Amino acid sequence: MLLINCPYCGERDQSEFTNGGEAHVARPKDPDQVNDREWSEYVFVRANPKGIYYERWVHTHGCKKWFNAIRDTSTDEILKIYKMGETPPPIKRFKNTLRSPSGEPDVGSGNFTVKKP
Amino acid sequence: MSEHKIYFKFDGKTYGGNEGDTIAAALLRNNVKLVGRSFKYHRPRGIYTCGIEEPNALVQIINEHNEPNVRATVKKIYEGMVVKSQNRWPSLKRDLGSINNILSPIFSAGFYYKTFMGPKGFWKNVYEPLIRRTAGLGKPPREFKSKSIHLHHNVDIVIVGGGFSGLLAAKKLAATNYDVLLIEREDSLGGILKNAKKIESINDQDPSDWIEKTERLIQNSSNIKILKNTLVTTYNFNDHLIAVEDKSVGKPQDNEKPELVLHKIRTKRTILANGHIERFISFRNNDLPGVMLAASFEKYIQRYGVVPEESPVIFTNNSSTFSLVKSLVGLGHKPKAYVDVRDQKNIEKETVELLTNYNIPLYANSEIEGCEGKNNISEVSIRAKKNKIIKIKTSMLCVSGGFNPDIHLFTQSKGLLEWDETLLAFKPEKTFQNTITLGSVSGNFSYEKLVGEINKKLDFLEGINDLEIKLNINGPKRFQIKELWETKRAKKSLWSKSFIDLQNDVTTKDLKQAVLEGFNRIEHLKRFTTNSMGTDQGKISSINALGIVSRILKKKCFRSWNNHLQTTIRTVKFLSHRWKKYL
């Protein structure tokens, strides 16, 4: 269970929060004008990388406020938390260590080729 | 010792036990060795271990809830407790289901998958009800109304395990500014010091005096809290631990008070000092009542004051059984034989000396080929040098196949493991969280080096002093082991079985068959044979299964697997990456 530092309340257990998916996915300015493909990309397509990821969280059982986080999905380490409306820090600022728990390769789940880094 | 205080019933008969006895200890005190029937073949089964790793001695407690599959080696007795054996009809001694044992050649691995295919609807209406009646564990419990509560903790350091290393770590942290929680699974601190005669004296005191003194010191320091009867079950991200405290140890159920307390602990650092688990060796009929792990046998003597058998045969492939011999001869008993897989020149001179002094026959470079008996062992056969078979009459056999560091919590914390070729076991290599491993869980089986290890690993903490301790160790100082997973059978018979998973009745032959049928990935093999899928999760056997399978694979598919499998050990290592999450 993660420990998440809510920018309004402080450190709380993960069980108090809800994940809101990828952050900074821009809604098309004029939804009536986009075609189905562009609309479905906005609704469904997400980056889902193995590594550093922008995402949204909401403190459901607390202040109920939304905020953004930068998390390394391979280690579940939360690298930065910032409020809604703040400029997202560039991803380059964080070192992508890709240190995954069971020594998996950089890409894929590693079900077949388990090798230590 | 003869003062019986607590009376309980097992299968309708009343027995007496001492306060603090587990069901298993009390039954052994009354010389009851047959306690259950096995899952598939309904073979007679006895008490194999003395702790949470128990695969065989599962019983049903008849109370308000009818708790099934309770480990007799863990549950403590109370006055008026009613215990029943499981999976037998009409009685434990005469079980009709044991016809499965006679038919066993057709019930090999995958029998159910291949046989009960059709016709349509038969599975649900005919086969399943039929199989369910004969196979399985206890009867379902009645409705369970939990009165359990949960508590939250926020501390600086958690020490998991109040054994020797846990106590030393706690002693080091006493009277510092750290907020510490010491968690112990059993009802008293001390661990190995209480279970075995491995250490003669600490600082010129008896180990039990030292434990008492240290416990008092820990209790008097305001920064350490001790939780007993508490088992840490989960190690989550960000050093979040879940522990279950049993409040009803040695007491009947109370309808008003909570019987269990769930502790949710958030900590900054976790010290794992949860020790090791002994494993067995597969040989013919290695499941008969009367076969027991050597360290468990000694634990019954030292912790519970029960001598399950005064002259057992000891079978070992490592140096740890010295203390068992010492415990037995200390009480005036004498093992019938000491069978060691290692060569005479590799056996420590302390062991050889002790055996010669007490005139105990030593069979070096030998192994147990198998054992005979109906509801209990009556005879073991030893394959001595030059394939000579020697038969010895005995009613108990103590087996030691080495030790696995108890790495379950460490793997849950996502740490990486490595295979140690001298210990023949997995040990922690790299931590993923703020974890520190101490003692045998870190692969350090030497008591001499323990204090140095603790001083070194806890050195970075503020305001702590160096520990200094004078130990007087019994027996060999270095742990030494020779690889052996399965012994060779003298005769080949369809009915002879050497088990690899005692709870799910998986034999070593099933492993071979699974490989033969193409299930040579360890996950597939696990599911095809149901190996280590019981409630004990293969704690005493899964490394053995890896060892056996890797040997088969090396022989049969060496060429195609060449990239991965250079040596047996590397195979174990390779396969275990997939297996270790089940450990």
Side-chain angles (χ1 to χ4, degrees):
Chain A
M1 203 156 38
L2 300 178
L3 200 59
I4 296 171
N5 192 1
C6 171
Y8 306 97
C9 312
E11 280 193 334
R12 297 288 191 277
D13 263 359
Q14 186 191 346
S15 54
E16 294 187 14
F17 296 85
T18 312
N19 184 290
E22 189 173 356
H24 312 302
V25 181
R27 183 183 170 89
K29 281 219 170 74
D30 198 351
D32 291 342
Q33 299 303 310
V34 296
N35 59 27
D36 285 357
R37 192 194 147 81
E38 281 164 335
W39 183 249
S40 74
E41 263 175 25
Y42 162 67
V43 177
F44 302 116
V45 178
R46 296 291 179 265
N48 195 26
K50 182 173 187 173
I52 294 167
Y53 190 47
Y54 292 101
E55 63 186 6
R56 300 177 299 176
W57 286 87
V58 57
H59 196 180
T60 324
H61 305 287
C63 61
K64 300 203 165 53
K65 287 197 175 94
W66 285 85
F67 58 92
N68 293 316
I70 296 178
R71 181 172 63 98
D72 188 334
T73 56
S74 72
T75 57
D76 265 349
E77 194 180 351
I78 293 175
L79 302 161
K80 175 132 182 103
I81 280 177
Y82 54 100
K83 291 179 185 172
M84 282 286 161
E86 284 179 16
T87 332
I91 225 157
K92 278 184 225 142
R93 200 190 286 172
F94 306 99
K95 208 178 149 210
N96 194 344
T97 50
L98 273 177
R99 186 174 62 111
S100 49
S102 55
E104 296 152 9
D106 294 356
V107 189
S109 68
N111 273 344
F112 287 95
T113 47
V114 178
K115 268 183 192 153
K116 281 185 192 171
Chain B
M1 283 296 157
S2 59
E3 194 188 343
H4 285 174
K5 286 179 199 146
I6 296 170
Y7 291 90
F8 70 103
K9 271 188 176 172
F10 177 66
D11 274 351
K13 231 176 132 186
T14 307
Y15 297 100
N18 284 7
E19 203 185 326
D21 274 1
T22 58
I23 299 170
L27 287 174
L28 286 171
R29 205 181 278 285
N30 291 289
N31 208 16
V32 177
K33 295 212 176 104
L34 174 67
V35 293
R37 286 276 170 177
S38 75
F39 188 77
K40 194 161 132 191
Y41 301 128
H42 288 248
R43 285 165 70 96
R45 290 287 165 85
I47 297 156
Y48 216 89
T49 68
C50 186
I52 54 161
E53 64 270 35
E54 177 62 40
N56 277 345
L58 301 180
V59 292
Q60 186 137 20
I61 312 285
I62 308 298
N63 56 19
E64 200 190 329
H65 310 308
N66 279 354
E67 246 180 298
N69 311 332
V70 175
R71 281 168 282 210
T73 50
V74 173
K75 186 85 178 172
K76 298 238 189 295
I77 52 167
Y78 52 82
E79 188 65 47
M81 184 187 217
V82 183
V83 185
K84 271 192 168 170
S85 55
Q86 298 185 158
N87 200 28
R88 85 281 183 276
W89 187 85
S91 80
L92 190 55
K93 283 223 169 89
R94 287 194 190 80
D95 176 25
L96 278 185
S98 58
I99 189 148
N100 281 7
N101 194 30
I102 298 162
L103 301 174
S104 64
I106 59 167
F107 291 144
S108 62
F111 168 75
Y112 295 99
Y113 309 138
K114 291 173 197 157
T115 314
F116 301 108
M117 299 285 282
K120 212 177 164 218
F122 260 53
W123 173 254
K124 206 168 171 238
N125 301 321
V126 184
Y127 302 142
E128 195 187 337
L130 207 83
I131 293 166
R132 281 228 184 271
R133 214 174 303 155
T134 51
L137 301 158
K139 301 228 163 58
R142 287 196 209 123
E143 199 187 334
F144 187 73
K145 283 193 197 112
S146 177
K147 303 169 291 291
S148 301
I149 53 169
H150 67 253
L151 290 174
H152 290 269
H153 301 265
N154 260 301
V155 293
D156 295 325
I157 296 172
V158 171
I159 304 171
V160 181
F164 193 23
S165 0
L167 278 175
L168 285 171
K171 198 177 172 188
K172 214 170 152 70
L173 290 164
T176 55
N177 291 328
Y178 294 101
D179 202 359
V180 182
L181 200 59
L182 174 64
I183 302 177
E184 167 59 37
R185 187 182 69 204
E186 309 228 13
D187 57 355
S188 61
L189 302 177
I192 193 77
L193 298 175
K194 286 204 170 164
N195 298 344
K197 223 178 161 50
K198 300 220 185 269
I199 291 173
E200 190 65 44
S201 69
I202 304 169
N203 293 343
D204 297 320
Q205 302 167 52
D206 194 61
S208 57
D209 294 338
W210 183 84
I211 295 168
E212 212 175 289
K213 237 172 128 184
T214 314
E215 190 172 353
R216 218 173 308 131
L217 181 117
I218 294 166
Q219 271 165 348
N220 288 341
S221 72
S222 54
N223 65 324
I224 303 182
K225 198 181 166 204
I226 305 175
L227 285 177
K228 287 178 188 171
N229 297 314
T230 308
L231 179 72
V232 178
T233 58
T234 318
Y235 193 145
N236 290 325
F237 270 118
N238 291 53
D239 288 279
H240 183 261
L241 303 173
I242 308 268
V244 184
E245 183 180 3
D246 192 346
K247 285 274 192 191
S248 61
V249 173
K251 278 181 281 185
Q253 246 166 10
D254 191 323
N255 285 335
E256 305 300 317
K257 286 181 192 152
E259 69 271 19
L260 296 172
V261 179
L262 191 72
H263 294 277
K264 299 177 178 175
I265 307 155
R266 181 75 75 176
T267 169
K268 296 203 176 79
R269 291 179 199 287
T270 313
I271 296 176
L272 293 180
N274 47 342
H276 54 260
I277 291 177
E278 192 167 31
R279 57 188 187 219
F280 67 177
I281 299 172
S282 293
F283 48 85
R284 187 168 55 81
N285 290 338
N286 62 335
D287 66 322
L288 270 177
V291 184
M292 195 187 272
L293 292 182
S296 305
F297 193 92
E298 196 180 358
K299 190 173 169 185
Y300 282 115
I301 299 175
Q302 296 291 350
R303 193 175 267 260
Y304 298 103
V306 185
V307 184
E309 158 69 48
E310 290 175 1
S311 49
V313 173
I314 300 170
F315 176 34
T316 184
N317 67 349
N318 61 68
S319 57
S320 74
T321 34
F322 174 88
S323 62
L324 172 59
V325 181
K326 185 100 183 162
S327 292
L328 277 168
V329 296
L331 290 168
H333 308 312
K334 192 180 132 186
K336 255 196 183 143
Y338 188 90
V339 184
D340 202 317
V341 180
R342 296 171 296 163
D343 287 329
Q344 180 93 34
K345 63 174 193 298
N346 288 338
I347 302 174
E348 295 75 16
K349 63 174 194 304
E350 294 98 327
T351 314
V352 178
E353 246 169 54
L354 182 72
L355 294 172
T356 359
N357 281 351
Y358 286 91
N359 207 9
I360 299 160
L362 163 68
Y363 296 91
N365 204 358
S366 314
E367 57 186 31
I368 297 285
E369 176 268 321
C371 47
E372 248 70 51
K374 203 165 163 261
N375 280 339
N376 196 61
I377 285 195
S378 56
E379 193 181 67
V380 296
S381 52
I382 301 167
R383 179 185 291 107
K385 281 172 213 161
K386 293 173 191 157
N387 269 337
K388 209 174 111 204
I389 301 280
I390 299 162
K391 302 214 169 192
I392 291 181
K393 291 225 181 307
T394 181
S395 76
M396 275 198 102
L397 174 62
C398 306
V399 188
S400 175
F403 294 92
N404 294 328
D406 195 351
I407 46 170
H408 310 70
L409 284 173
F410 184 80
T411 46
Q412 281 186 35
S413 82
K414 304 286 181 193
L416 287 179
L417 301 177
E418 71 176 336
W419 177 257
D420 190 311
E421 301 202 15
T422 50
L423 304 176
L424 295 180
F426 287 102
K427 67 176 190 188
E429 186 197 7
K430 221 160 102 188
T431 56
F432 188 71
Q433 301 188 35
N434 295 325
T435 318
I436 301 158
T437 52
L438 296 180
S440 53
V441 67
S442 68
N444 175 16
F445 287 1
S446 156
Y447 297 105
E448 268 187 334
K449 290 185 192 148
L450 183 61
V451 174
E453 186 198 1
I454 292 172
N455 280 334
K456 198 175 141 211
K457 285 187 177 169
L458 300 183
D459 192 37
F460 67 95
L461 297 168
E462 279 166 25
I464 51 169
N465 308 316
D466 259 14
L467 274 180
E468 256 182 71
I469 207 165
K470 211 175 92 203
L471 287 178
N472 188 0
I473 299 163
N474 259 336
K477 296 206 165 56
R478 256 186 72 239
F479 180 76
Q480 212 200 34
I481 182 168
K482 185 183 173 190
E483 188 180 342
L484 177 73
W485 310 113
E486 187 190 4
T487 67
K488 232 170 66 197
R489 272 172 242 172
K491 295 181 284 205
K492 284 216 166 88
S493 152
L494 281 173
W495 282 271
S496 83
K497 290 184 187 62
S498 53
F499 284 89
I500 186 70
D501 184 313
L502 293 160
Q503 194 172 82
N504 279 349
D505 272 356
V506 181
T507 62
T508 51
K509 212 156 68 183
D510 291 335
L511 297 183
K512 281 161 207 155
Q513 191 189 341
V515 173
L516 203 71
E517 297 198 20
F519 296 94
N520 53 8
R521 290 267 172 187
I522 209 74
E523 297 134 308
H524 295 156
L525 186 125
K526 173 181 161 127
R527 271 153 187 90
F528 187 70
T529 59
T530 70
N531 184 33
S532 78
M533 276 162 66
T535 57
D536 68 326
Q537 290 284 291
K539 284 194 184 67
I540 61 169
S541 64
S542 59
I543 296 292
N544 301 44
L546 288 174
I548 292 172
V549 172
S550 57
R551 287 212 153 176
I552 306 169
L553 289 179
K554 190 191 167 197
K555 225 175 182 172
K556 297 231 162 140
C557 339
F558 187 69
R559 215 164 268 171
S560 56
W561 284 61
N562 202 11
N563 292 337
H564 299 300
L565 320 178
Q566 301 278 326
T567 64
T568 320
I569 299 303
R570 277 195 59 193
T571 323
V572 174
K573 197 169 174 179
F574 167 74
L575 294 168
S576 63
H577 272 295
R578 307 280 80 225
W579 194 286
K580 71 185 177 193
K581 59 184 156 193
Y582 312 114
L583 284 176

